[in-house]
């Protein structure tokens, strides 16, 4: 039995003829099966998931004969020490950049490398942390990228949202403190003119 197969998650794929093929995928092990908290696609067919086991997992999605979907495990990203609530791929970069956020209040920016995985690893790819963003003292619930991949908006149970200029040496641009309760959803509009925060 594949040790990554523990919990269940359903993914539906819409094909050219608008037929739907439903694939059962299972992952995120722990001492007991752990919930999958978040998922996000990259345009290249990479799928990232985050779970209550504090890990981010990378999958490649492809289609076999008759458009039957196939998902292959590629890598497990371990940095968070509490559940991962949100994973979001930057829309702007040819080489994938993934942001992950969790109950530890941390945001990590990941990208794949050309390094070979260790011989004793189950990983087929090596992803590295390019940057860590820290200002929230509590759980980060949601993330949203700007269309150009230069800015990231985060929302937290500390009742604030933070706008980051992620590749700047001093990345925090603004901390929005208008909410009186948890910020559970955030979004940057496609023209990067407006920010939306939900509480």
């Amino acid at each position: 039995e594949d040790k990554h197969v523990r919990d269940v998650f359903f993914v539906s794929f819409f094909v050219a003829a608008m037929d739907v093929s439903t694939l059962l995928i299972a992952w995120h092990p722990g001492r007991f099966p752990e919930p999958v908290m978040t998922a996000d696609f990259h345009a290249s067919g990479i799928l990232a998931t985050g779970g209550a086991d504090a890990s981010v997992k990378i999958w490649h999605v492809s289609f076999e004969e008759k458009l039957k979907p196939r998902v292959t495990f590629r890598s497990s990203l371990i940095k968070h020490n509490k559940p991962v609530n949100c994973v979001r791929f930057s829309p702007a970069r040819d080489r994938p950049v993934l942001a992950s956020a969790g109950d530890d209040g941390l945001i990590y920016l990941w990208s794949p490398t050309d390094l070979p995985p260790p011989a004793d690893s189950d990983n087929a790819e090596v992803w590295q942390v390019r940057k860590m963003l820290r200002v929230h003292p509590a759980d980060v619930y949601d993330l949203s990228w700007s269309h150009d991949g230069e800015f990231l908006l985060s929302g937290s149970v500390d009742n604030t949202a933070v706008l980051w200029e992620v590749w700047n040496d001093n990345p925090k641009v603004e901390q929005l403190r208008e909410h009186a309760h948890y910020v559970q959803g955030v979004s940057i509009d496609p023209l990067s003119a407006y920010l939306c925060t939900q509480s």
Side-chain angles (χ1 to χ4, degrees), residues 42-44 89-98 109-111 130 145-151 166-167:
H42 186 265
S44 65
F89 280 107
S90 168
R93 297 181 177 269
D94 294 334
R95 192 173 184 86
V97 175
L98 176 70
L109 304 182
W110 306 83
S111 62
R130 294 188 57 185
W145 286 94
S146 62
H147 74 281
D148 59 3
E150 295 297 320
F151 293 89
V166 293
W167 308 118

Side-chain angles (χ1 to χ4, degrees), residues 129-165:
V129 174
R130 294 188 57 185
K131 202 160 194 177
M132 182 184 75
L133 306 175
R134 169 185 270 175
V135 73
H136 294 291
D139 314 13
V140 179
Y141 270 5
D142 198 17
L143 300 168
S144 179
W145 286 94
S146 62
H147 74 281
D148 59 3
E150 295 297 320
F151 293 89
L152 184 69
L153 184 62
S154 59
S156 171
V157 301
D158 66 3
N159 304 352
T160 74
V162 173
L163 182 64
W164 308 86
E165 189 173 1

Side-chain angles (χ1 to χ4, degrees), residues 70-87:
R70 175 182 174 82
V71 176
T72 307
F73 170 77
R74 302 299 294 172
S75 194
S76 188
L77 315 183
I78 308 295
K79 275 292 184 183
H80 291 282
N81 55 46
K82 291 185 178 180
V84 178
N85 297 320
C86 187
V87 291

Side-chain angles (χ1 to χ4, degrees), residues 39-73:
D40 194 40
F41 268 111
H42 186 265
S44 65
I46 300 172
L47 175 66
T49 62
D53 61 349
S55 76
V56 174
K57 297 195 184 299
I58 302 296
W59 312 82
H60 282 194
V61 180
S62 59
F63 289 93
E64 300 177 336
E65 292 182 11
K66 298 181 180 179
L67 296 178
K68 181 181 178 181
R70 175 182 174 82
V71 176
T72 307
F73 170 77

